[in-house]
Amino acid sequence: MPIASDSIRRARPLLGTFVEIEVAAAAGPQTNAAIDAAFDAVARVHRLMSFHEHDSDVSRINREAGVRPTRVHAWTFEVLEAALEMHRRSKGAFDVTVAPVLQAMGLLPGPGGDRVIEPEQSLDNAIELLPERAVRLRSPGITIDLGGIAKGFAVDRAVEVLRSFDIPGGVVNAGGDLRVFGQEPHTVHLRDPRDPLRLLAGVELTDQALASTALRFDLVDGAPPGTSAIIDPATGNPANVAIGATVCAPSCMIADALTKAVMISGTDAGDLLEHYTASALLISTDGDVQITSDWRQAVHLAA
């Protein structure tokens, strides 16, 4: 995204990526304080929901799986509620209990001690949300990972903080999961999942969120894209319906989660997108680009 000459843009390493915040330079004397507070909100989400942090809510829930409920922060509980709702509406395509498969693939650290990586029963029966923000995993074999939804939630919290400082507009971008707020439109450029060194399209956003996912790719070695890190809960294997998906939604948390459902369900995710007032661009495995009809005027494909 180009840097506007009249804007302030800062970045910090958080959430396993670089989080960038850009606001208008003329936003007021509290601008830097607002950006600091927004970064603090993202850092808090990281501490609460990281799979890697030993004392995060997620790690504490996983350690107590099948043993006892764990009381969590209100933000963690809110994300889990949204994850369960997305799971139900996506007919199981979005599932935070695929963590054991990601561990077996080496994409998440393995369990400590003698614990064995073993995928468990479906999410419908795996997680209980109890009064007073308590969470219980019903079996020791269940492990959750909120990596497919928490990054978007962090972006939303950062925007909320910036607005509380009366910042009129800007962009919060966490490694491609981003949200534009305010009345000024922003153009976001999308990388082509078929050839990640090329531009796919420019997308115009006004007060909207955007998230993308695609096959794994290393910009350093330049090798062709590999398999997807999105796991299809129905098979326990990487999703193979699409090679890339971008979702535009009112909130970044919803956009983030919907990219996984779209990568797994493909064009069958139409009703799900409509429910969340979201739009999508999908690149199928044969290379075709499909855009939902409500979004075609805002997506400008590269020549």
Side-chain angles (χ1 to χ4, degrees):
M1 188 181 304
I3 303 173
S5 59
D6 58 348
S7 67
I8 295 176
R9 185 176 180 182
R10 293 168 51 189
R12 288 186 187 177
L14 290 164
L15 304 169
T17 185
F18 275 97
V19 177
E20 299 177 332
I21 296 178
E22 179 180 355
V23 301
Q30 293 295 309
T31 299
N32 279 312
I35 294 175
D36 287 340
F39 277 129
D40 288 347
V42 176
R44 172 176 287 189
V45 174
H46 179 96
R47 289 194 300 273
L48 291 170
M49 305 181 205
S50 170
F51 190 90
H52 303 264
E53 298 284 339
H54 181 268
D55 294 326
S56 71
D57 281 352
V58 167
S59 292
R60 293 191 301 111
I61 292 170
N62 287 334
R63 281 198 298 274
E64 299 295 345
V67 179
R68 61 179 65 85
T70 301
R71 189 170 183 182
V72 299
H73 189 276
W75 286 1
T76 308
F77 201 82
E78 181 179 344
V79 169
L80 281 167
E81 287 181 317
L84 290 174
E85 176 72 5
M86 181 68 72
H87 175 79
R88 184 178 68 81
R89 292 194 176 278
S90 68
K91 300 177 181 177
F94 182 80
D95 190 341
V96 298
T97 68
V98 296
V101 180
L102 297 172
Q103 289 177 296
M105 293 172 65
L107 298 177
L108 288 175
D114 297 327
R115 191 172 179 185
V116 177
I117 299 174
E118 184 177 350
E120 264 284 352
Q121 62 209 66
S122 73
L123 183 67
D124 290 333
N125 299 314
I127 301 175
E128 288 181 285
L129 299 184
L130 305 170
E132 299 183 352
R133 303 197 309 267
V135 181
R136 177 165 55 198
L137 305 184
R138 289 182 170 168
S139 165
I142 299 168
T143 303
I144 64 169
D145 171 40
L146 298 182
I149 188 170
K151 190 187 294 182
F153 179 81
V155 169
D156 290 333
R157 297 288 69 74
V159 170
E160 184 178 74
V161 168
L162 293 168
R163 282 177 162 159
S164 74
F165 278 81
D166 294 328
I167 302 295
V171 183
V172 178
N173 183 355
D177 291 354
L178 61 89
R179 183 163 167 182
V180 173
F181 68 102
Q183 298 306 308
E184 294 295 325
H186 288 254
T187 299
V188 178
H189 299 287
L190 304 180
R191 193 190 306 276
D192 192 335
R194 298 165 297 187
D195 182 355
L197 297 179
R198 299 185 59 181
L199 177 68
L200 171 65
V203 181
E204 189 171 285
L205 300 176
T206 302
D207 220 13
Q208 294 167 303
L210 192 79
S212 299
T213 191
L215 303 183
R216 288 183 287 161
F217 174 72
D218 190 330
L219 281 171
V220 176
D221 65 25
T227 59
S228 173
I230 308 302
I231 303 302
D232 184 347
T235 65
N237 295 315
N240 59 9
V241 171
I243 61 175
T246 293
V247 172
C248 176
S251 83
C252 199
M253 177 177 72
I254 294 301
D256 187 8
L258 281 174
T259 57
K260 286 72 182 178
V262 172
M263 281 289 283
I264 292 166
S265 301
T267 55
D268 289 342
D271 289 345
L272 183 67
L273 291 166
E274 184 175 350
H275 170 78
Y276 285 105
T277 321
S279 309
L281 180 153
L282 174 75
I283 299 182
S284 57
T285 52
D286 59 10
D288 282 351
V289 178
Q290 301 179 62
I291 306 171
T292 52
S293 58
D294 60 332
W295 207 29
R296 289 172 187 159
Q297 289 188 337
V299 179
H300 307 287
L301 295 174

